[in-house]
Amino acid sequence: MHCTASGRPLYDGALRLFIVLLICAVNYKLIESHPLNDGQATKTSEKKCGYESCHKTKPNMLNVHLIPHTHDDVGWLKTVDQYYYGSKTLIQKAGVQYILDSVVQELLKDPEKRFIYVESAFFFKWWREQDAELQEQVKKLVNEGRLEFIGGAWSMNDEATAHYQSIVDQFTWGLRRLNDTFGECGRPRIGWQIDPFGHSREMASMFAQMGFDGLFFGRLDYQDKMERLTTKTAEMIWRASANLDESSHLFTGALYNQYQPPPGFCFDILCADEPIIDAKHSPDNNVNRRVNDFLKFINQQAQYYRTNNIIITMGGDFTYQDANVYFKNLDKLIRYTNARQENGSTVNLLYSTPSCYLKSLHDAGISWPTKDDDFFPYASDPHAYWTGYFTSRPTLKRYERIGNHFLQICKQLTVMAPKVAGEFNPHLSFFREAMGVMQHHDAVTGTEKQAVAADYARHLEVAIRACSMNTRAILNQLTVDTAATHAAESATESARESARKPRWATSDTKKQYKLQFETCTLLNISSCAVPELADKFILTIYNPLAQTVSDYVRVPVPDVNYRVKDFDDVTIETQFLPVPTPVQDLRFRKASAPYELIFPARELPPIGYKSYYIMKTDENHMIPVPDPENVSSFTSIGNEHIRLTFDTNGFLVTVMVDGMTRIVNQEFVYYEAAIGNNREFRNRSSGAYIFRPANDQVRSISLQPKLKIYRGNLVEEVHQSFNDWVSQVVRVYREQPYAELEWLVGPIPVDDGNGKEIISRFNSDINSGDIFYTDSNGREMLKRKRDHRDTWKVKLLERVAGNYYPITTKIALEDDTARMAILTDRAQGGSSMGAGSLELMVHRRLLHDDAFGVDEALNETAYGEGLVARGTHYLIVGSSNKKVSPTTQAIERTTQLRKLLPAWTFFSNAENITYEDWRENFTNIFTGLQLELPKNIHLMSFEPWHENEVLVRFEHILEKDEDPELSKSVQINIQSVLSSVKIADIRETTLAANAWLGDNQRMEFVPDSPEVSYNAYGIYQRSIDEQLMLRVDKPLLDAKFYNQLESWEEQEQLALQTNRLKRLVDESQELNRVRAEKLRVHKVARQPVAEKYVEGDDRFLIELGPMQMRTYILTLEIAN
Ligand SMILES: [Zn+2]
């Protein structure tokens, strides 16, 4: 097929046909029952799961909900498989298969017992290995609420460095597998984030939108924890979005003892605590003492919570490998403690689950405090700010983001495949699961051992390769195999046939394809085999966004004489630039290409591709040469939107945007890492988790970076060389309203014995005071104030580390006139340490461990020297005026999306294909959409689901006050957009697609009235002495540092400083009013869209307000 380059909807009936063929797409063996209904899975036994299966509590007693649980890291000190099978016991005695084996047997023996399981990655590894009989028994346990899934995502994801798209994906996949296997009783209702190192507001919002009733977590700042315990605010209603209504509110509880049992009550084989010895006449009989100790602990805990219910986690890391041991002692503990009720004890122990505990809180009928900010950063003691992991292992963090990028492309192409091969869906699932593992709180965080990090990268690489087989096959179908379109109908049968083939069918993968559609994974160091070896090659540029985009393509080439043509015989303008010298000099770079060929790929169709033919010519192009050196004057690069000026020393000094010039300078500096023996909290080292600079001063690395300036018709670049291990390319493409700063850092020298934390710092004259903004998992922005927390008066003994926040995609600041934002290409730590200043930590190399378990220094090496990392910051400067569209914030939002999911370049050798042949016989432009979406709407998911089903997810990417036009609600008719898909039915689901939205009912909790808040604050006002008294029985804090505090005075001081004693009551009322105002359901005007978006069958018309995400399962028409 041959299409025009006009960029209009191009696509004729033949293209629609492949979508029809999707009906054959999904035949995934693991599907056992339809989602979102009970299916067969639950018919085998009587269902009484969830809240109905809870043991009764006693109204006039303190009900102690004992939660048997295990925390199974999906990789940390050992790899996923090592943990599952239990190998490498000398590193850690942990074997997940034994946990599930033995827990199931214990549960089968006794209907009173309860157990929760969290990580779907491990559960389904185990499930697959069980025979049908045991599987039935497990289903019975699930149906009776005796085994309950909590969380249920593929892994327990990190909340600082994980991107929302990947979080939603990994929940969607884990919850789907549970739903397919167990139906409604397999649906988790409780978020269980007991180990992640701080908690994002967006995660809470997503839990709420996924239909969860509540969230429990273990780690929060030690000062915040003390404050919340002493003010009975550790359980709260988290109002988790400034844009969405109650649908984003989530009941949230901070656990008292993280996720551990009371000290002395770990009955696991991994622990050394005393079992309960109840032989009547044994001299070792300890029943009385043990019960007394337990009561003492729970009575203490109970005084910090509001109801007559408390939750006690009975488990820990990889506990219950021999479940009998734990359960046997819990049985005794319950029996002997409850026996005291006859003598007047009012304590009642029961086997429970987090959902049953939540139900008890709900049934208590009381009101709860609210929370509007987040739980970052997390500090476990005055010198342990867990802000280093925001940056740790920068290359793994980038690789994870590339994984997300390619996963979306693989999903889209697979859903659009004209002919479905049997291996397509297994490949895709494997990739989804690999990405699910990457989100784990010791994976993308960089807090695993080096060998485990290498295994994560290996796993992801295999998954990318597997899905590359899909993309290669499908792109060949779309591009080469015109028979696919012409003979579509007759192919239906054979496609169905192939879909029936077993998993890992080999026929398609072995076939010699006409085009390679190769991915070059080393493009970030300008290395790619196809263009280096072939004189003729084809680039297929795939655009995964639902908007038509234009982008610049860079191709590493050995020479400067190439011509680029599109399929309309138009020669595209090009520019050649040298690969920066520091990149060429990388010892491990195998490529010989000294140049990059750059050309604009215009009007790339939405959810589609466009191809270009590139050939070497005999013409003599000019070798690119830098501007002559001129050390006496300033240098500038730019275009009509933005201009950057560099001073004679070689530093960026000003940015001019739309006539406004602001001082913006940028440099690389570093913090020297603190070194300590970790024996006490004062002597903490900086490490994989912890960022602790030796002092607040940054050290410079260069006073005079060397510059080379290259100009051309498409892009202007400044190549900066700061020293022999830090360099940067600053570039501005024609037309683009922002600048790119592509940094190259490493190997970081450590021969002076000091670890180093490298930052890129931007100092501007923007008068931002102590306010800056950081994103939450790539979505809503949160306001930050230096040396401040919204809910308590913080005392910072680590001023730099304590002001660091996770930057998943963006950090920004502004004043009355100007605004500056930096977008990142991976998660990094960042802050604003002065007015007008933004900094991002790009790389770190440390020589000491921080004593939180990894037991290795974060000293990444590759090829025998320190690891080199390369990445990009996108600098956007503009007016802070929010009245004229597009605002700077709107430009940031659209740029953010384009940098998350840029066009992907597939390379094919064309030595045997002439240009004419290619032009005549190949389909060189394609789109899966009939209409591109409005700028502010993201087609976030477009993927095959169950048989005859497609999962789609739309998202409004702006917040409500960011732009006068683009922040408005938008209506679109899904049928008009996806008219190439024949939709028979559409149903909206919760965010993770495991429940119909209409059926979803969430538990409601009542916020404290202003009077209650008033009284609460009033109490603190007059209770300084009480507060100090409270500390005599000090709340249990996970950090051991309290024991290490030397003097009583020191403790007292800390307690005083951490309390919110000075806040005025009036202020708190005002705060409540402002919050209520902010959270009032926001009625936004609807953005007028072209008629074409809304016309058609009303059933398919949807509306998206600011920051809304909506998920649908489309049932396809079955072609006859
Ligand atoms: Zn963990």
Side-chain angles (χ1 to χ4, degrees):
M1 191 180 57
H2 194 96
C3 299
T4 62
S6 68
R8 282 181 296 106
L10 320 153
Y11 328 98
D12 59 22
L15 281 168
R16 257 174 248 139
L17 281 168
F18 3 111
I19 315 290
V20 175
L21 289 172
L22 283 174
I23 56 168
C24 318
V26 184
N27 182 23
Y28 186 35
K29 266 199 105 183
L30 290 161
I31 298 166
E32 292 179 352
S33 68
H34 194 271
L36 317 179
N37 69 36
D38 285 355
Q40 302 145 354
T42 49
K43 283 181 189 147
T44 46
S45 58
E46 203 189 326
K47 284 168 289 169
K48 198 188 162 207
C49 57
Y51 300 118
E52 283 177 48
S53 63
C54 296
H55 291 314
K56 290 261 177 304
T57 55
K58 297 191 173 174
N60 300 317
M61 294 200 179
L62 173 62
N63 292 288
V64 179
H65 294 252
L66 300 175
I67 314 290
H69 81 107
T70 179
H71 176 66
D72 300 345
D73 287 310
V74 184
W76 179 37
L77 308 180
K78 305 201 291 187
T79 67
V80 179
D81 282 358
Q82 289 162 1
Y83 273 132
Y84 180 75
Y85 290 104
S87 52
K88 304 250 177 191
T89 49
L90 292 181
I91 296 179
Q92 194 177 5
K93 191 158 168 40
V96 173
Q97 57 174 345
Y98 308 126
I99 297 173
L100 286 159
D101 286 343
S102 78
V103 163
V104 165
Q105 291 311 318
E106 288 306 304
L107 292 177
L108 287 171
K109 276 189 235 163
D110 176 8
E112 286 296 304
K113 292 195 168 65
R114 295 288 182 270
F115 199 78
I116 54 171
Y117 202 74
V118 183
E119 296 84 5
S120 285
F122 281 133
F123 180 80
F124 286 102
K125 219 174 171 68
W126 177 82
W127 177 254
R128 204 174 50 195
E129 296 177 350
Q130 309 310 311
D131 60 28
E133 192 189 338
L134 193 83
Q135 288 186 344
E136 278 310 308
Q137 289 176 317
V138 173
K139 284 180 182 172
K140 180 177 152 70
L141 293 176
V142 173
N143 288 338
E144 294 174 1
R146 294 153 66 185
L147 175 63
E148 182 174 316
F149 294 100
I150 297 283
W154 205 246
S155 68
M156 184 184 294
N157 62 259
D158 174 56
E159 299 189 29
T161 62
H163 190 273
Y164 71 91
Q165 185 163 37
S166 299
I167 295 173
V168 171
D169 271 359
Q170 75 119 2
F171 266 90
T172 302
W173 189 245
L175 297 179
R176 167 171 157 181
R177 295 289 303 276
L178 289 171
N179 194 289
D180 286 348
T181 313
F182 298 105
E184 181 61 23
C185 285
R187 181 180 167 200
R189 305 304 301 251
I190 304 293
W192 190 248
Q193 296 286 101
I194 54 178
D195 197 25
F197 329 129
H199 300 277
S200 72
R201 195 175 75 177
E202 192 60 37
M203 188 73 230
S205 171
M206 289 189 284
F207 270 124
Q209 294 176 64
M210 289 189 284
F212 283 73
D213 284 322
L215 162 68
F216 293 97
F217 65 73
R219 296 181 188 273
L220 69 164
D221 183 288
Y222 69 100
Q223 296 176 23
D224 193 8
K225 184 172 184 178
M226 187 184 214
E227 164 94 6
R228 287 185 179 279
L229 290 176
T230 50
T231 58
K232 293 197 180 187
T233 53
E235 291 173 333
M236 70 211 88
I237 298 167
W238 199 346
R239 301 188 289 201
S241 167
N243 294 274
L244 306 173
D245 57 13
E246 286 80 2
S247 63
S248 69
H249 295 187
L250 185 71
F251 185 90
T252 302
L255 298 171
Y256 185 62
N257 191 19
Q258 207 166 306
Y259 54 92
Q260 310 298 339
F265 290 87
C266 175
F267 296 118
D268 202 77
I269 51 163
L270 297 177
C271 300
D273 295 345
E274 262 180 88
I276 292 180
I277 303 168
D278 52 356
K280 245 187 190 143
H281 302 294
S282 167
D284 292 341
N285 185 305
N286 60 8
V287 171
N288 261 335
R289 176 167 53 84
R290 299 289 274 149
V291 170
N292 287 344
D293 287 350
F294 194 76
L295 286 174
K296 186 171 176 226
F297 180 88
I298 58 169
N299 282 323
Q300 182 180 302
Q301 176 173 341
Q303 65 181 312
Y304 300 115
Y305 289 84
R306 289 191 176 190
T307 73
N308 65 331
N309 292 272
I310 57 169
I311 181 170
I312 302 279
T313 46
M314 298 303 295
D317 291 7
F318 301 95
T319 50
Y320 291 82
Q321 290 174 72
D322 186 351
N324 172 53
V325 179
Y326 221 129
F327 276 124
K328 189 170 210 161
N329 283 285
L330 285 177
D331 278 344
K332 291 183 184 177
L333 184 66
I334 294 171
R335 191 184 334 137
Y336 293 119
T337 308
N338 289 354
R340 293 196 182 183
Q341 290 168 12
E342 285 177 17
N343 300 326
S345 162
T346 55
V347 173
N348 181 44
L349 271 52
L350 65 152
Y351 279 118
S352 187
T353 64
S355 56
C356 292
Y357 173 65
L358 184 74
K359 181 173 184 293
S360 294
L361 297 185
H362 178 261
D363 293 350
I366 63 168
S367 66
W368 302 93
T370 55
K371 158 124 180 139
D372 297 304
D373 60 336
D374 66 353
F375 288 100
F376 282 121
Y378 165 57
S380 54
D381 69 46
H383 298 289
Y385 279 84
W386 297 45
T387 53
Y389 84 92
F390 299 161
T391 298
S392 296
R393 301 196 187 277
T395 59
L396 189 69
K397 284 183 163 69
R398 175 63 193 150
Y399 198 31
E400 182 278 327
R401 212 58 81 78
I402 291 169
N404 176 60
H405 184 191
F406 194 60
L407 175 61
Q408 305 311 322
I409 289 167
C410 191
K411 284 175 171 183
Q412 294 177 1
L413 280 168
T414 304
V415 84
M416 296 189 292
K419 288 184 292 183
V420 176
E423 68 268 30
F424 285 179
N425 278 300
H427 285 167
L428 191 52
S429 305
F430 182 66
F431 196 0
R432 286 169 170 138
E433 291 168 8
M435 282 301 291
V437 167
M438 287 304 296
Q439 309 310 313
H440 167 58
H441 58 268
D442 290 305
V444 64
T445 50
T447 55
E448 63 284 70
K449 278 187 184 285
Q450 182 57 51
V452 178
D455 187 68
Y456 285 131
R458 177 200 60 79
H459 187 188
L460 182 54
E461 202 258 333
V462 173
I464 290 175
R465 262 195 294 146
C467 240
S468 299
M469 293 183 203
N470 290 23
T471 57
R472 173 176 303 147
I474 296 160
L475 285 168
N476 266 289
Q477 291 175 13
L478 296 174
T479 311
V480 183
D481 196 3
T482 47
T485 50
H486 295 146
E489 277 114 327
S490 63
T492 309
E493 201 40 52
S494 69
R496 279 200 185 122
E497 188 57 40
S498 74
R500 268 185 229 114
K501 279 182 193 161
R503 295 177 70 181
W504 314 107
T506 52
S507 59
D508 278 90
T509 43
K510 282 188 180 156
K511 182 174 149 191
Q512 283 305 303
Y513 290 111
K514 205 153 187 181
L515 293 181
Q516 298 156 280
F517 294 108
E518 269 186 29
T519 284
C520 283
T521 49
L522 296 177
L523 277 181
N524 69 333
I525 52 165
S526 306
S527 173
C528 180
V530 174
E532 279 179 49
L533 301 175
D535 287 347
K536 287 182 279 183
F537 52 93
I538 295 161
L539 298 190
T540 302
I541 320 284
Y542 183 87
N543 169 21
L545 297 182
Q547 288 80 23
T548 302
V549 301
S550 297
D551 208 350
Y552 287 90
V553 180
R554 298 178 82 99
V555 186
V557 284
D559 214 333
V560 292
N561 48 343
Y562 289 83
R563 183 183 299 155
V564 179
K565 287 176 89 171
D566 72 5
F567 53 85
D568 259 352
D569 212 9
V570 173
T571 299
I572 309 294
E573 59 179 327
T574 56
Q575 184 181 339
F576 291 87
L577 278 175
V579 171
T581 315
V583 176
Q584 290 197 47
D585 290 348
L586 292 170
R587 280 201 280 140
F588 51 86
R589 182 175 178 265
K590 302 257 176 358
S592 55
Y595 303 107
E596 281 189 308
L597 156 65
I598 299 150
F599 71 92
R602 296 207 183 284
E603 306 264 307
L604 297 169
I607 316 287
Y609 67 78
K610 194 170 171 181
S611 297
Y612 295 85
Y613 191 95
I614 299 176
M615 66 207 100
K616 207 163 183 177
T617 67
D618 296 330
E619 297 156 28
N620 259 330
H621 293 285
M622 297 285 282
I623 299 231
V625 287
D627 281 6
E629 281 193 40
N630 184 346
V631 289
S632 63
S633 72
F634 283 22
T635 304
S636 83
I637 58 168
N639 59 31
E640 66 273 31
H641 304 291
I642 181 168
R643 180 149 294 279
L644 276 59
T645 304
F646 296 79
D647 67 12
T648 52
N649 288 324
F651 292 101
L652 173 67
V653 282
T654 64
V655 175
M656 186 171 87
V657 187
D658 299 328
M660 167 180 76
T661 302
R662 301 304 294 236
I663 293 172
V664 177
N665 55 62
Q666 183 269 341
E667 61 179 331
F668 290 93
V669 290
Y670 71 89
Y671 294 104
E672 198 176 287
I675 299 170
N677 60 13
N678 298 313
R679 290 226 182 86
E680 55 173 324
F681 74 92
R682 281 185 200 81
N683 299 328
R684 179 78 63 196
S685 281
S686 204
Y689 299 92
I690 305 303
F691 169 35
R692 187 182 182 200
N695 55 56
D696 292 356
Q697 302 312 310
V698 293
R699 287 147 206 269
S700 73
I701 58 160
S702 170
L703 298 174
Q704 205 165 24
K706 292 192 191 69
L707 295 193
K708 277 187 200 163
I709 298 105
Y710 295 91
R711 297 174 200 280
N713 47 331
L714 301 176
V715 62
E716 298 192 347
E717 291 190 352
V718 168
H719 294 199
Q720 282 176 306
S721 178
F722 291 86
N723 63 17
D724 55 5
W725 53 276
V726 177
S727 64
Q728 180 169 255
V729 177
V730 184
R731 67 171 70 93
V732 179
Y733 285 107
R734 190 172 68 189
E735 295 150 359
Q736 287 185 342
Y738 54 86
E740 293 185 11
L741 295 93
E742 190 171 23
W743 45 266
L744 180 74
V745 175
I748 300 171
V750 287
D751 30 6
D752 58 359
N754 290 318
K756 295 177 185 63
E757 328 241 9
I758 318 301
I759 63 167
S760 174
R761 185 179 268 184
F762 296 76
N763 285 321
S764 76
D765 62 351
I766 297 173
N767 189 13
S768 58
D770 49 10
I771 303 295
F772 58 108
Y773 301 85
T774 67
D775 68 321
S776 186
N777 304 108
R779 295 197 89 233
E780 295 186 15
M781 298 300 287
L782 287 170
K783 185 177 182 176
R784 311 292 188 185
K785 187 174 176 185
R786 202 177 316 116
D787 303 329
H788 169 89
R789 303 288 186 263
D790 279 1
T791 61
W792 85 95
K793 193 170 177 299
V794 69
K795 163 78 181 166
L796 291 179
L797 297 188
E798 291 291 335
R799 192 155 175 270
V800 177
N803 277 306
Y804 258 62
Y805 289 90
I807 312 302
T808 318
T809 59
K810 178 164 109 175
I811 185 167
L813 50 72
E814 62 181 29
D815 64 15
D816 292 344
T817 53
R819 178 177 167 88
M820 169 167 80
I822 302 159
L823 310 182
T824 64
D825 62 352
R826 74 200 72 186
Q828 292 171 336
S831 186
S832 169
M833 293 307 298
S837 176
L838 292 177
E839 65 185 56
L840 287 153
M841 190 188 291
V842 294
H843 199 357
R844 53 203 311 249
R845 188 178 183 193
L846 307 170
L847 300 174
H848 296 271
D849 177 46
D850 52 14
F852 283 102
V854 182
D855 204 24
E856 280 179 5
L858 184 73
N859 182 4
E860 291 184 283
T861 56
Y863 310 99
E865 53 188 15
L867 182 72
V868 179
R870 196 177 196 205
T872 307
H873 288 146
Y874 303 92
L875 172 67
I876 302 181
V877 178
S879 161
S880 59
N881 180 346
K882 291 173 182 62
K883 294 198 180 80
V884 185
S885 182
T887 60
T888 306
Q889 273 152 302
I891 292 169
E892 290 162 18
R893 288 283 178 189
T894 46
T895 308
Q896 218 171 318
L897 185 55
R898 291 201 182 176
K899 296 310 168 189
L900 177 74
L901 299 171
W904 187 278
T905 306
F906 292 97
F907 293 83
S908 302
N909 186 317
E911 298 279 32
N912 300 317
I913 304 168
T914 65
Y915 175 76
E916 286 70 27
D917 181 17
W918 172 76
R919 200 185 152 194
E920 292 304 316
N921 297 315
F922 293 76
T923 304
N924 292 318
I925 187 163
F926 166 82
T927 177
L929 297 191
Q930 185 69 14
L931 280 175
E932 64 172 323
L933 290 181
K935 248 189 197 168
N936 45 4
I937 304 300
H938 177 207
L939 177 52
M940 186 177 152
S941 304
F942 184 37
E943 59 187 291
W945 207 233
H946 295 93
E947 198 169 346
N948 292 334
E949 288 176 351
V950 171
L951 180 77
V952 289
R953 192 177 275 124
F954 296 87
E955 170 196 20
H956 192 304
I957 60 167
L958 267 82
E959 293 196 60
K960 62 187 186 212
D961 301 322
E962 291 185 319
D963 188 283
E965 291 304 315
L966 295 167
S967 286
K968 290 177 179 171
S969 295
V970 176
Q971 281 193 332
I972 49 172
N973 188 308
I974 293 182
Q975 203 178 34
S976 313
V977 171
L978 301 173
S979 71
S980 46
V981 186
K982 289 290 175 216
I983 312 170
D985 195 19
I986 175 172
R987 269 189 94 175
E988 184 162 12
T989 66
T990 52
L991 180 59
N994 69 330
W996 301 121
L997 192 66
D999 297 349
N1000 179 50
Q1001 285 190 332
R1002 296 174 61 222
M1003 239 179 226
E1004 281 181 26
F1005 292 85
V1006 181
D1008 283 347
S1009 65
E1011 292 72 38
V1012 172
S1013 307
Y1014 177 95
N1015 290 335
Y1017 286 116
I1019 289 167
Y1020 313 141
Q1021 274 292 89
R1022 61 166 190 265
S1023 67
I1024 297 174
D1025 293 334
E1026 276 173 55
Q1027 293 286 352
L1028 288 172
M1029 288 292 289
L1030 267 178
R1031 269 193 336 75
V1032 178
D1033 240 359
K1034 57 183 180 288
L1036 185 88
L1037 293 155
D1038 48 335
K1040 291 169 187 74
F1041 79 93
Y1042 267 89
N1043 305 329
Q1044 297 173 3
L1045 285 173
E1046 273 158 18
S1047 66
W1048 176 245
E1049 287 80 352
E1050 204 172 353
Q1051 288 192 37
E1052 249 176 6
Q1053 224 175 18
L1054 195 68
L1056 274 173
Q1057 285 157 344
T1058 59
N1059 276 326
R1060 185 171 42 182
L1061 301 172
K1062 292 199 184 75
R1063 178 175 283 162
L1064 296 171
V1065 173
D1066 289 352
E1067 206 181 357
S1068 74
Q1069 281 180 318
E1070 172 61 11
L1071 195 67
N1072 273 332
R1073 194 192 60 74
V1074 170
R1075 284 173 183 169
E1077 181 74 20
K1078 192 167 84 184
L1079 287 153
R1080 255 206 343 241
V1081 180
H1082 193 77
K1083 293 281 175 220
V1084 277
R1086 193 178 298 149
Q1087 187 187 350
V1089 290
E1091 186 61 25
K1092 62 189 180 186
Y1093 283 110
V1094 290
E1095 65 192 11
D1097 189 336
D1098 277 356
R1099 281 190 303 149
F1100 302 106
L1101 189 66
I1102 67 165
E1103 182 167 328
L1104 289 138
M1107 280 287 129
Q1108 216 179 352
M1109 294 186 270
R1110 300 185 72 170
T1111 308
Y1112 301 87
I1113 291 176
L1114 309 179
T1115 310
L1116 302 181
E1117 273 179 21
I1118 299 174
N1120 37 13

